[in-house]
Amino acid sequence: MRRILLFVTVAGILPSCTEVLDLDPRAQRVVVYGILENTMKQVVELRYTSYLSEDYMPPVENARVWVEEENRNDPVAIKYNFKELGNGYYESNFTPKFGSRYHLEIELQDGRRLSGTTLFPAQENLLNLRPEGYAYSFRTAYIPLYLWIYGMDYSDKLGKEQVANYIYGSRRYLSSEEILDPFNYSDLFVKDVPEYKNRFVCEYHGDELLSQGYLRYEIGVKKIPQLYESSDFWITAVPIFTITETGLPHSKSYVVFDSVSEEYDAYLKSVILLQKSEKQDLTNLYDLENAFSNIEGGIGIFGAVYRSKLSLLWNNYQEIGYENQ
């Protein structure tokens, strides 16, 4: 189930949290995973939940899948039909529009209908996003913003990138307002990472906790919806990447900024919390209330993400005094 990932490119732990086992073998539910992205291809994955004696989630075949885009200037919605690719995957070619609302509709062979709704993030959420010295800077003029940041650590041995296990992120906006959600804190401090003891990030942030894999920021979520206000932000985000023979992270490693819809944000946080809890009691697997779902007639997620891939804040990885040598 490679498609059911935290941020599509993130190979990780979250898919298992949607693999809910059915106690009643006559009533397999349908699990939906559909995340609209700022690309030309959109994919929806459909699977049936497993029976109690199975660990395999069968693909949903021969379903009708389409997405309707609300048109503010026309009461008739724009419709995008999805083509079945096989093995539970359905694909359509279109690029979501900033700030537009989308409705997912699914019709199964047995007549059941499923649906979900999401809002694609606004372009104004991350204006002029760029690395700048020791922090990433951007301007946001649209509230609210649900922001997830993580690092993709490239491995020559594996020939691919994977999510860095830990990441440091600045907590505050200016001097007082807390914007980093501490839900994902680990029990490690920056200074606990041996490879970083002589680095700038450890010199200035050594006594601060690392987060496990992902940083989650809420900016303006408690304010009046649709409220426009312009603010500048600087966020230091330093994934704990593998140090190569050059003394620095791999040149192919990078940092990802995901501006996500409210629905996808709730799903991501709930699934990570489930994984962190490490509950082994079988009754918890059947409790669908533990994981967020916005699918009517089924379980799962229909959400949206605007993704930006950025270069590292290289200054934070330099050895102390390196620039003066």
Side-chain angles (χ1 to χ4, degrees):
M1 296 174 63
R2 185 168 176 78
R3 182 64 187 178
I4 302 185
L5 304 175
L6 180 56
F7 296 105
V8 180
T9 57
V10 180
I13 52 176
L14 300 193
S16 59
C17 297
T18 61
E19 296 179 13
V20 181
L21 302 179
D22 275 334
L23 292 174
D24 184 356
R26 298 168 300 174
Q28 281 182 288
R29 299 177 180 88
V30 173
V31 179
V32 178
Y33 186 85
I35 306 300
L36 300 181
E37 307 172 42
N38 50 314
T39 64
M40 295 182 64
K41 285 186 178 182
Q42 310 305 323
V43 176
V44 172
E45 184 175 2
L46 305 177
R47 294 192 177 272
Y48 292 107
T49 53
S50 300
Y51 292 141
L52 190 59
S53 60
E54 299 175 338
D55 58 5
Y56 170 65
M57 298 177 68
V60 175
E61 299 176 337
N62 301 317
R64 289 185 60 232
V65 180
W66 68 95
V67 164
E68 295 180 353
E69 175 186 287
E70 287 188 5
N71 190 340
R72 298 175 182 175
N73 301 320
D74 192 328
V76 179
I78 302 173
K79 183 177 180 181
Y80 300 100
N81 292 309
F82 282 65
K83 179 182 178 181
E84 185 172 2
L85 300 179
N87 197 32
Y89 294 96
Y90 296 78
E91 181 182 90
S92 184
N93 295 325
F94 69 95
T95 303
K97 296 178 182 177
F98 289 113
S100 293
R101 189 172 299 278
Y102 291 87
H103 305 280
L104 172 67
E105 301 290 340
I106 300 168
E107 185 177 293
L108 306 182
Q109 268 194 311
D110 60 12
R112 281 185 287 171
R113 297 287 296 265
L114 296 84
S115 62
T117 298
T118 193
L119 182 70
F120 198 79
Q123 186 176 22
E124 293 86 354
N125 273 345
L126 291 174
L127 293 172
N128 201 22
L129 173 64
R130 65 192 185 279
E132 194 172 275
Y134 295 90
Y136 294 98
S137 66
F138 62 91
R139 190 171 187 81
T140 184
Y142 187 89
I143 303 298
L145 167 61
Y146 298 95
L147 178 62
W148 290 71
I149 305 174
Y150 52 100
M152 298 302 293
D153 192 8
Y154 187 85
S155 168
D156 279 323
K157 183 176 180 180
L158 298 176
K160 63 179 182 180
E161 69 263 0
Q162 54 190 0
V163 179
N165 291 328
Y166 297 98
I167 184 171
Y168 164 74
S170 51
R171 294 182 301 172
R172 294 180 175 85
Y173 166 59
L174 298 179
S175 60
S176 59
E177 185 179 356
E178 294 271 355
I179 58 174
L180 175 63
D181 187 347
F183 89 103
N184 205 28
Y185 274 160
S186 71
D187 57 357
L188 294 176
F189 293 90
V190 177
K191 63 185 179 183
D192 293 330
V193 182
E195 295 88 349
Y196 283 67
K197 283 189 176 179
N198 295 320
R199 313 276 166 171
F200 277 101
V201 64
C202 187
E203 177 74 8
Y204 295 103
H205 308 291
D207 292 323
E208 297 188 57
L209 285 171
L210 294 167
S211 293
Q212 291 182 297
Y214 311 95
L215 304 173
R216 177 182 180 271
Y217 290 94
E218 289 186 2
I219 298 177
V221 299
K222 296 181 180 179
K223 302 198 175 189
I224 302 172
Q226 306 297 319
L227 174 64
Y228 282 83
E229 63 176 39
S230 182
S231 300
D232 292 310
F233 285 85
W234 291 267
I235 291 177
T236 298
V238 186
I240 305 303
F241 287 130
T242 303
I243 300 299
T244 67
E245 294 179 355
T246 66
L248 295 169
H250 199 287
S251 60
K252 292 184 180 179
S253 296
Y254 57 92
V255 176
V256 182
F257 276 62
D258 278 351
S259 173
V260 305
S261 64
E262 183 176 1
E263 302 81 21
Y264 194 26
D265 174 73
Y267 170 80
L268 294 173
K269 184 172 180 177
S270 70
V271 174
I272 289 180
L273 287 173
L274 276 176
Q275 195 278 334
K276 282 171 66 75
S277 69
E278 297 180 347
K279 295 178 180 177
Q280 301 300 321
D281 188 347
L282 281 177
T283 57
N284 289 310
L285 295 176
Y286 310 136
D287 185 1
L288 302 181
E289 299 302 320
N290 282 335
F292 175 86
S293 172
N294 69 334
I295 302 298
E296 295 288 337
I299 54 178
I301 180 64
F302 178 57
V305 54
Y306 182 79
R307 175 167 294 122
S308 301
K309 299 179 180 180
L310 302 174
S311 61
L312 313 187
L313 297 173
W314 292 103
N315 289 340
N316 284 288
Y317 298 96
Q318 300 282 6
E319 293 184 5
I320 298 173
Y322 176 87
E323 294 177 332
N324 296 325
Q325 294 178 359

